[in-house]
Amino acid sequence: MNSIRLTRPDDWHTHLRDGAALELTVAHAARSFARSIVMPNLVPPVTTTALAAAYRERILHHLPQGADWAPLMTLYLTDNTDPEDLVAGAEQGVVTACKLYPAGATTNSDSGVTDIDKIFPVLSAMQQAGIPLLIHGEVTDADIDIFDREAVFIERHLKRIVESFPDLKVVLEHITTRQAAEFVASAGDRVAATITAHHLMYNRNHMLVGGIRPHYYCLPILKRNEHQQALIDAATSGDASFFLGTDSAPHNQSAKETACGCAGCYTAWQALEMYATVFDQANALDKLEAFASLNGPAFYQLPVNTTQVELQRQPLEIPTSFAMGGETLVPLDAGETLGWSLVQ
Ligand code: DOR
Ligand code: ZN
């Protein structure tokens, strides 16, 4: 097969940032996707409906002419989130979902939730209103190894959340382990997971063998190859609980290539071609449309997109860098070539 047509995909997890970054990040999101779930971990975070509405306006201001794309906004949960505000935000069509960052788990998560019990009233309101809970599923305890933080989160917290709120829609974001894939596959229709292109394509050897490659550093961190294989199996299984979420996360080159580099892989521009490459290698191109374009809308109870995209087996060269608001942004695999490309 040298060409495939798909219903236009959506990205169910991305970071666009704010201000001058939006000119680039919005254009890149709109290159391949019709809708993107926009993460709220700005500085300061998007914690209220009013902040989400204002952020959406700033994003839409950068929509390229003729683009077929829309942002879907999320709220950042804190210990003090007001359930009435988020339910009103969902009713007004401003808020699509809410994001749980355990405090300190990742980039700009300092205002996150310090104790999940503190947001039980909020989760109850979300369950009642049908608002999905999106979870960064890692514990932050200093004594838990960074490679185990997702699996421990599932045991200590996720199982309790799912049991305590039997109708709450939950997305375990950017899963990285066999344990996560198995949990989501066995947890029924209302528990789902996003999987990034980089966690499908890479494992920790790619980051660490032969030198330390900071552009592969993200959270949750890349795991062993057996976990990578479990993610590929989940994504290509046809199970509707798994769908596309790039977790594309722009950082300036100077913040990535330094003694203490920050977490995030920038893939927005080429992620769709990365997914096509992985599905092709797994002989599962026939499963790509469900993963990229159908399973997400079904979970979020949103319409499936009505337009299509075409991918061809043609080399795609990933740019060596992008200019982002006067700074330099280096995408993942800068300067390398993928075997599939989107027909523009
Ligand atoms: O690698 C990551 N980068 N993981 C996250 O959870 C956050 C993201 C970011 O905001 O840069
Ligand atoms: Zn993210």
Side-chain angles (χ1 to χ4, degrees):
M1 211 187 322
N2 291 318
S3 150
I4 47 167
R5 292 185 78 84
L6 304 177
T7 299
R8 191 170 176 81
D10 303 299
D11 183 352
W12 300 97
H13 184 132
T14 198
H15 299 265
L16 301 177
R17 310 298 189 219
D18 206 352
L22 291 174
E23 188 184 348
L24 185 83
T25 58
V26 171
H28 286 183
R31 175 182 179 268
S32 313
F33 302 110
R35 294 169 290 202
S36 301
I37 284 272
V38 180
M39 286 296 133
N41 61 332
L42 303 182
V43 188
V46 180
T47 50
T48 65
T49 294
L51 288 170
Y55 183 31
R56 185 170 68 174
E57 288 309 306
R58 297 196 296 280
I59 292 167
L60 289 173
H61 182 73
H62 291 275
L63 198 60
Q65 277 283 317
D68 171 18
W69 177 84
L72 301 176
M73 307 310 292
T74 60
L75 290 192
Y76 181 117
L77 296 176
T78 71
D79 291 351
N80 305 312
T81 297
D82 172 7
E84 284 179 23
D85 175 64
L86 72 83
V87 170
E91 280 169 1
Q92 291 159 27
V94 173
V95 173
T96 299
C98 298
K99 180 75 185 278
L100 166 59
Y101 287 104
T106 187
T107 309
N108 303 336
S109 63
D110 297 350
S111 326
V113 174
T114 61
D115 174 356
I116 289 172
D117 287 332
K118 291 196 173 155
I119 60 161
F120 265 44
V122 170
L123 299 185
S124 174
M126 289 171 61
Q127 170 173 257
Q128 185 149 12
I131 304 168
L133 173 69
L134 316 184
I135 302 182
H136 184 111
E138 289 191 285
V139 296
T140 54
D141 310 55
D143 62 322
I144 304 293
D145 190 274
I146 188 168
F147 292 100
D148 297 332
R149 288 179 173 201
E150 181 174 279
V152 172
F153 183 91
I154 293 167
E155 290 304 318
R156 283 195 192 164
H157 302 297
L158 185 59
K159 289 186 173 172
R160 197 164 66 91
I161 293 171
V162 165
E163 278 163 22
S164 304
F165 300 97
D167 295 321
L168 180 64
K169 292 171 86 86
V170 174
V171 185
L172 187 57
E173 297 291 338
H174 42 52
I175 61 168
T176 63
T177 57
R178 178 180 51 76
Q179 290 91 329
E182 285 175 357
F183 178 77
V184 169
S186 67
D189 293 353
R190 53 97 187 196
V191 178
T194 53
I195 308 181
T196 77
H198 48 284
H199 287 102
L200 290 172
M201 199 168 258
Y202 298 114
N203 61 62
R204 66 195 199 181
N205 277 7
H206 295 98
M207 179 175 56
L208 296 171
V209 172
I212 186 161
R213 293 181 182 75
H215 292 285
Y216 289 83
Y217 176 64
C218 64
L219 290 171
I221 198 162
L222 292 168
K223 306 295 193 297
R224 289 176 178 273
N225 59 359
E226 68 201 57
H227 294 289
Q228 178 194 6
Q229 190 57 51
L231 301 179
I232 295 169
D233 292 346
T236 60
S237 66
D239 183 335
S241 300
F242 299 100
F243 42 85
L244 186 160
T246 63
D247 196 21
S248 177
H251 291 277
N252 294 335
Q253 181 174 21
S254 57
K256 291 290 294 173
E257 299 175 14
T258 180
C260 185
C262 55
C265 300
Y266 189 71
T267 59
W269 185 81
Q270 79 272 22
L272 183 57
E273 289 93 334
M274 290 173 70
Y275 285 111
T277 302
V278 169
F279 276 64
D280 187 19
Q281 282 164 359
N283 274 321
L285 278 173
D286 59 320
K287 300 291 197 321
L288 182 59
E289 184 177 47
F291 177 79
S293 317
L294 306 179
N295 297 347
F299 180 86
Y300 277 88
Q301 294 177 287
L302 290 169
V304 169
N305 298 313
T306 53
T307 56
Q308 291 204 318
V309 295
E310 184 180 355
L311 289 156
Q312 280 184 345
R313 195 188 294 281
Q314 291 288 339
L316 177 77
E317 199 175 312
I318 300 169
T320 50
S321 67
F322 297 107
M324 181 174 69
E327 303 274 352
T328 302
L329 170 65
V330 177
L332 194 70
D333 295 332
E336 296 192 21
T337 302
L338 288 165
W340 284 83
S341 55
L342 180 67
V343 179
Q344 299 289 334

